[in-house]
Amino acid sequence: MDFFWTIVAMVVLVAIAWRFLGQYMVAVYEGRVRYLGFIERPIYRLLGTGPEHEQSWKRYAGSLIAFSGVTLLIGYLIMRIQGSLPLNPQHLGAVPPALSWNTSVSFLTNTNWQNYAGETTMSYFTQMSVMMVQQFVSAAVGIAVAVALIRGFSRKGSSTIGNFWVDTVRGCLYVLFPVAFVAGIIFVSQGAVQTLGGPTHIKDVLNGVTQVIALGPVAFMETIKQLGTDGGGFCNANGAHPFENPTGLTNLLSLVLILLVPVALTYVFGTMVGSIRQGVAVLAAMTIIFGCWLTFTAYAEHQSNPAVAAAGVTHQPGGNMEGKEVRFGDTQSALYGVVSTQTSTGSVDGANDSYNAMGGFGLLTGMMLGEVSPGGVGSGLYTILLFAIIAVFVGGLMIGRTPEYLGKKIQAREVKLAGFGILVMPITVLVITGVAVSIHAGRAGPLNAGPHGFSEILYAFTSQANNNGSAFAGLSGNTAFYNVMGGVAMLFGRFVIIVPTLALAGSLAAKNLVAASAGTFRTDNTMFVGLLIGVILIVGGLTFFPAVSLGPIVEQLTHHKFFGAAFGPVLSTFTPFGHLLSGGIL
Amino acid sequence: MLDQLRRSVILAVVFIVLLGFVYGLLGTGVAQLFFRHQADGSITANGSTLIGQNWNGYSTTTILDQQWFHGRPDADNPLMANGKAGSSGSANLGPRSAVLVREAHALVVAWEKVGVHPTADLVTTSGSGLDPDISQRDALVQIPMVSRATGIAPSRLRALVVKETQGAELGFLGTSYLDVLQLNEALAKLR
């Protein structure tokens, strides 16, 4: 029942945001919100640009790439020299090169994959100037691309799609900063820490134990990490850590913060293309996929953990609690996991690696659908619009008409760009996973043996190519191989999709509107929602089914088998089940 | 292109100042001004109420200290302690991990030696490795052990557990749970 009411609360809050944040964002990106003009205008003066300087798609993409390259480099440099920088009470040294590369790419691409334990690797300076800044900026860039694509649909005969610098600045100032700040205050009041003092050493009077408690500027990073669907937390345990996510209330707020912008963007889309029904149709497709995955995953996690049952605790009314926190319980943790993997967030409030086989399947396949339900800030909307173009194309083929979407003729160029954008992610994931399981450096990664080890590798590259950032964290990702290949997967998954998306925006903006006629294929009704969901499921299912079969599915089907090379004598003496498998992955 | 690079550098610096330091320091200021106790880690004389601690609980074979209620076997258990002080994280063992079977079974045996039939929470590690809480059932099953070691009647302990149980927030957010530190503080007053 608690689970039900949590979902009701979440849906109500997100629905309110859909309407009002959506309306506010339309005003922001149309330049009608000016209360921070005293900060905004000087920034434009420094940059030598402004809202009146519209850019073609090529200049928009060029600015985006240049800015990303520069921030990638700055992030890398700060990590390399953090030992000589201030705000470093633990005197942490330079971050090694391969790890700095991976981490800088990770935060640049809105992935927030973390091959390090934050509280013992990164100084406060690094956390604030690299991680936290990119959590704002990568999110603002994502929204900017989505807005540029929407302008492609809403403009006619136009050679420009907006100004990258202006869109990015506005997203940070008017949308992300205020919401994250207010939410941060609530998080602190609940117990999230926010201090620049170093770790505390305390001796507990009652039992005489000495503890070292890592502290830091956590709370405000936590809120932007969720709002920007970034997901990279201050601490290694991420949202499972009581200092990041102290209570049931902050857990709910985390979910709402994650969903706010991706959901509100469907309102922005509907409003800017002149028909709110179009936005609702896209949102409906997102919601249906989300609901199915949530039901499946929460059910799976409410089942017993087979390993714990084999150890002698067969009655597990609380579900699978290995790797979960008592204050959240099984189903609300699963809810968090689904929200985080159906967006590009990747934050966790428990160990994804310890989910039951089918729970892990739910998380993994959520990402494999391309993160469109509702997806990351910006990336969710622009990715589902790529799917929508394919759906319109398929629909057009079925009824034998030239496809149109929102009054724009969809021609060979648009279909090619959309198809390319959709296929980048699966190709990246499958090729790199194939490489990883074929060479020693890749096979050395997994902690768990058997099919679960394969899942850890597949999950890692699925997560990085989707810019998600969650992990089956048993994988030892901090090696040269995983750092470098992960960085490549993240860059592909981000920019090789963004550039064709902007090209598509440019191509659509240049077109004129064709008047709707009786024969026009409608894109705001149930039929289209069904078709869109069908396309998403078929593309995801066909590309990933073989890979998933080798991981979670085979794991689910191996009843009474447990995997692990590291058998001690203890196991063989007590085990009531004769056939324990040993041996490594594959 | 040079123009774009110049703008990129300027905007990167502006953002580091504005979104890194103004946001971060303003937030720290507000937090320290209005919520100092929480912002510094909710620390009391007996430790932080948000960070689980070791009740001199586990060795590999036996529960050593039976006079306290125990939390989950996170940093508490030499078998599963996941590394150095200050670093959080879970054990990351999968649902068909033989290692998990072995470690959980060792804990089941240890608990049964002191007359407790453990719940799943008491033999599994949490997501943070620092879980400060247990469920009401986790506390109730420990009553025979605590009662024997302290001489307090089981009925009084049961009343204590019920009294210390915190409901879910607003009645439905999260689960109901007991903070192990607060429970043991209340227990100390009974003795």
Side-chain angles (χ1 to χ4, degrees), chain A residues 207 220 236 323-324 326 566, chain B residues 7 23 54 72 88 102 125 175:
Chain A
N207 63 355
F220 284 80
N236 192 38
K324 293 195 183 61
V326 166
Chain B
R7 287 186 183 134
Y23 173 81
N54 185 342
R72 302 183 70 189
S88 56
R102 188 184 65 213
T125 54
T175 57

Side-chain angles (χ1 to χ4, degrees), chain A residues 198-230:
Chain A
T200 303
H201 298 251
I202 50 169
K203 189 162 164 58
D204 305 333
V205 177
L206 214 52
N207 63 355
V209 170
T210 307
Q211 282 182 297
V212 183
I213 295 182
L215 298 168
V218 175
F220 284 80
M221 180 164 162
E222 184 71 10
T223 52
I224 184 58
K225 139 192 153 184
Q226 309 288 25
L227 180 65
T229 66
D230 302 281

Side-chain angles (χ1 to χ4, degrees), chain B residues 79-148:
Chain B
L79 255 182
M80 298 199 195
N82 65 70
K84 46 196 190 274
S87 184
S88 56
S90 74
N92 285 315
L93 294 171
R96 298 211 169 267
S97 160
V99 182
L100 179 57
V101 177
R102 188 184 65 213
E103 297 192 347
H105 184 76
L107 283 164
V108 170
V109 171
W111 277 109
E112 283 179 345
K113 268 190 202 159
V114 294
V116 171
H117 295 296
T119 55
D121 292 344
L122 294 177
V123 300
T124 53
T125 54
S126 68
S128 61
L130 304 164
D131 198 340
D133 307 316
I134 52 177
S135 73
Q136 194 178 64
R137 216 175 129 247
D138 303 338
L140 290 175
V141 296
Q142 296 184 48
I143 285 179
M145 172 189 82
V146 177
S147 172
R148 205 168 344 100

Side-chain angles (χ1 to χ4, degrees), chain A residues 165-189:
Chain A
W165 309 103
V166 172
D167 288 343
T168 306
V169 169
R170 283 182 178 159
C172 286
L173 284 188
Y174 291 112
V175 181
L176 301 172
F177 193 115
V179 178
F181 194 82
V182 172
I185 296 172
I186 302 176
F187 269 64
V188 175
S189 75

Side-chain angles (χ1 to χ4, degrees), chain A residues 159-414:
Chain A
S159 59
T160 61
I161 56 169
N163 180 307
F164 168 76
W165 309 103
V166 172
D167 288 343
T168 306
V169 169
R170 283 182 178 159
C172 286
L173 284 188
Y174 291 112
V175 181
L176 301 172
F177 193 115
V179 178
F181 194 82
V182 172
I185 296 172
I186 302 176
F187 269 64
V188 175
S189 75
Q190 291 289 303
V193 298
Q194 180 73 28
T195 169
L196 296 176
T200 303
H201 298 251
I202 50 169
K203 189 162 164 58
D204 305 333
V205 177
L206 214 52
N207 63 355
V209 170
T210 307
Q211 282 182 297
V212 183
I213 295 182
L215 298 168
V218 175
F220 284 80
M221 180 164 162
E222 184 71 10
T223 52
I224 184 58
K225 139 192 153 184
Q226 309 288 25
L227 180 65
T229 66
D230 302 281
F234 187 93
C235 309
N236 192 38
N238 205 291
H241 198 299
F243 283 164
E244 288 202 13
N245 188 5
T247 63
L249 177 63
T250 55
N251 204 49
L252 172 74
L253 277 180
S254 297
L255 304 175
V256 172
L257 283 173
I258 292 172
L259 295 172
L260 276 188
V261 177
V263 168
L265 272 172
T266 63
Y267 186 93
V268 176
F269 171 67
T271 309
M272 286 176 74
V273 300
S275 160
I276 199 71
R277 283 179 61 98
Q278 300 287 350
V280 174
V282 170
L283 180 62
M286 291 172 165
T287 310
I288 291 169
I289 296 176
F290 178 87
C292 294
W293 256 254
L294 173 62
T295 310
F296 182 86
T297 310
Y299 177 79
E301 284 316 288
H302 193 55
Q303 309 306 308
S304 301
N305 180 312
V308 177
V313 186
T314 44
H315 182 54
Q316 299 176 37
N320 173 17
M321 286 301 288
E322 170 64 22
K324 293 195 183 61
E325 300 280 299
V326 166
R327 66 189 179 285
F328 306 136
D330 55 351
T331 48
Q332 293 192 34
S333 295
L335 171 62
Y336 192 113
V338 171
V339 167
S340 169
T341 48
Q342 304 264 318
T343 60
S344 83
T345 311
S347 55
V348 296
D349 77 347
N352 291 358
D353 215 345
S354 301
Y355 271 43
N356 281 332
M358 284 299 103
F361 173 91
L363 302 180
L364 181 60
T365 52
M367 295 186 293
M368 285 171 170
L369 296 183
E371 292 179 345
V372 291
S373 49
V377 284
S379 65
L381 185 73
Y382 64 67
T383 311
I384 204 168
L385 290 180
L386 299 184
F387 277 109
I389 285 172
I390 300 295
V392 165
F393 173 61
V394 171
L397 288 181
M398 286 179 189
I399 57 173
R401 284 189 175 272
T402 321
E404 295 158 18
Y405 189 35
L406 305 168
K408 302 274 184 174
K409 267 207 169 70
I410 303 298
Q411 290 162 305
R413 179 178 159 81
E414 285 76 38

Side-chain angles (χ1 to χ4, degrees), chain A residues 85 151 266 425:
Chain A
L85 294 170
R151 288 191 189 116
T266 63
M425 182 276 288

Side-chain angles (χ1 to χ4, degrees), chain A residues 305-566:
Chain A
N305 180 312
V308 177
V313 186
T314 44
H315 182 54
Q316 299 176 37
N320 173 17
M321 286 301 288
E322 170 64 22
K324 293 195 183 61
E325 300 280 299
V326 166
R327 66 189 179 285
F328 306 136
D330 55 351
T331 48
Q332 293 192 34
S333 295
L335 171 62
Y336 192 113
V338 171
V339 167
S340 169
T341 48
Q342 304 264 318
T343 60
S344 83
T345 311
S347 55
V348 296
D349 77 347
N352 291 358
D353 215 345
S354 301
Y355 271 43
N356 281 332
M358 284 299 103
F361 173 91
L363 302 180
L364 181 60
T365 52
M367 295 186 293
M368 285 171 170
L369 296 183
E371 292 179 345
V372 291
S373 49
V377 284
S379 65
L381 185 73
Y382 64 67
T383 311
I384 204 168
L385 290 180
L386 299 184
F387 277 109
I389 285 172
I390 300 295
V392 165
F393 173 61
V394 171
L397 288 181
M398 286 179 189
I399 57 173
R401 284 189 175 272
T402 321
E404 295 158 18
Y405 189 35
L406 305 168
K408 302 274 184 174
K409 267 207 169 70
I410 303 298
Q411 290 162 305
R413 179 178 159 81
E414 285 76 38
V415 174
K416 279 183 199 158
L417 286 169
F420 180 77
I422 286 171
L423 290 177
V424 168
M425 182 276 288
I427 292 171
T428 310
V429 171
L430 293 175
V431 169
I432 299 188
T433 305
V435 171
V437 295
S438 309
I439 66 172
H440 181 74
R443 286 198 303 266
L447 166 80
N448 287 278
H452 201 78
F454 175 72
S455 298
E456 287 181 346
I457 296 176
L458 179 63
Y459 196 105
F461 290 115
T462 305
S463 167
Q464 293 183 82
N466 275 294
N467 300 151
N468 184 278
S470 66
F472 271 12
L475 185 84
S476 304
N478 190 13
T479 63
F481 173 77
Y482 280 105
N483 277 327
V484 173
M485 293 308 277
V488 171
M490 290 187 275
L491 285 176
F492 267 67
R494 177 80 169 175
F495 294 104
V496 184
I497 297 175
I498 280 184
V499 173
T501 301
L502 289 173
L504 186 64
S507 146
L508 288 170
K511 288 175 191 266
N512 278 313
L513 288 180
V514 279
S517 67
T520 304
F521 184 69
R522 295 203 37 193
T523 55
D524 59 353
N525 56 10
T526 324
M527 168 79 90
F528 179 73
V529 172
L531 186 62
L532 178 56
I533 295 174
V535 168
I536 293 169
L537 294 182
I538 289 168
V539 170
L542 288 182
T543 43
F544 285 113
F545 183 74
V548 175
S549 320
L550 295 174
I553 293 180
V554 79
E555 186 180 25
Q556 173 70 14
L557 296 177
T558 50
H559 289 294
H560 305 301
K561 286 195 175 66
F562 293 89
F563 303 89

